[in-house]
Amino acid sequence: MILSVHLADVGARAALGALRAQPAPTELPGLRYAAVTTGAPLGGPLLPVPQLGRVGLIAGWDDDRALDGFLAEHPLARRLADGWHARLEPLRTFGAWPELPGLPEHEQPVDGDEPVAVLTLGRLRVRRALPFLRANRPAADQAVAHPALLAATALARPPRLVATFSLWRSAAEMREYAIGHGGGHLAATRAHHARPFHHASAFIRLRPYAARGRWDGREPLAEVQPLSPARNSS
């Protein structure tokens, strides 16, 4: 299994159409999961201001062939074609996401110097929304200020799906943020364990092995090192 994350600025009207066009796994060969979202800046105000014209897609696939088929033929892929996307190999999962069974629970080999991505997924308990925002704000602000962060965004599909996606210069520096660097991430994790913010949640560490397009005018992973050629995964 592989994951992909897509971001594109399409304008508010087209974004609304994209949110309505979320594909179902039964509609596409090799699609395991898909969530079309609205983007928002990571960090800053307690309640992030949505970027109404920015569409995100979080998807799980059997392999690269399935993703290639989507990119070549699906109307949603055409709407996102002028944006950015990355292919991602799951390396480690904390928690679980029911729609993506089989994510690795034990860490796969990763070099401390290689870039990594982190995807967080949460199905929000609406009554816990304000405590979640309060706990998440220091963690997000500290992530945005970290020198190893290459790019990051919040993603949401109201009323329940909340997510973040971030790219890091190296696995070692991402771990340093997660277990230290001001303690915001650890504090948010402990608050969630004490009284969960979500019905289901997952923190997924990933290897970005291919990327295409521009995110805010740049390809952030190109600043680190060339990525591996696309490959088939099972």
Side-chain angles (χ1 to χ4, degrees):
M1 176 172 57
I2 65 167
L3 302 186
S4 65
V5 170
H6 311 244
L7 294 169
D9 295 314
V10 300
R13 184 173 180 179
L16 182 60
L19 288 167
R20 293 171 175 167
Q22 177 168 290
T26 53
E27 298 173 10
L28 281 172
L31 177 64
R32 300 190 183 190
Y33 172 75
V36 180
T37 67
T38 297
L42 190 67
L46 183 65
L47 184 63
V49 179
Q51 296 165 303
L52 297 178
R54 174 165 290 185
V55 174
L57 169 64
I58 303 164
W61 309 91
D62 285 348
D63 51 32
D64 283 290
R65 291 191 189 94
L67 175 52
D68 288 340
F70 166 76
L71 293 173
E73 301 175 5
H74 199 275
L76 178 59
R78 289 195 288 272
R79 295 186 187 189
L80 303 177
D82 290 335
W84 177 91
H85 74 267
R87 300 173 188 240
L88 306 155
E89 176 189 359
L91 297 172
R92 175 74 184 273
T93 305
F94 298 89
W97 199 246
E99 293 91 338
L100 287 170
L103 289 169
E105 297 179 8
H106 302 288
E107 187 159 14
Q108 306 302 301
V110 59
D111 191 314
D113 293 332
E114 69 176 286
V116 293
V118 174
L119 174 67
T120 69
L121 298 167
R123 188 166 293 119
L124 186 64
R125 299 177 187 266
V126 175
R127 292 182 180 180
R128 295 285 289 150
L130 185 56
F132 164 71
L133 291 169
R134 286 173 173 164
N136 186 66
R137 182 178 178 180
D141 286 346
Q142 289 165 19
V144 169
H146 199 289
L149 186 75
L150 300 174
T153 184
L155 300 164
R157 185 177 177 88
R160 294 191 182 275
L161 177 65
V162 290
T164 67
F165 179 70
S166 56
L167 296 169
W168 296 81
R169 184 169 57 196
S170 71
E173 289 169 303
M174 185 280 300
R175 291 191 191 102
E176 185 274 333
Y177 157 75
I179 64 175
H181 195 73
H185 180 265
L186 274 179
T189 300
R190 288 168 179 159
H192 172 69
H193 286 322
R195 189 179 174 194
F197 303 126
H198 307 296
H199 294 284
S201 63
F203 178 100
I204 310 167
R205 189 178 302 161
L206 307 124
R207 173 181 286 117
Y209 63 90
R212 179 177 296 178
R214 292 290 182 270
W215 178 349
D216 289 334
R218 53 192 271 269
E219 204 300 275
L221 288 164
E223 301 170 14
V224 183
Q225 63 182 46
L227 299 177
S228 303
R231 55 169 178 67
N232 291 324
S233 302
S234 59

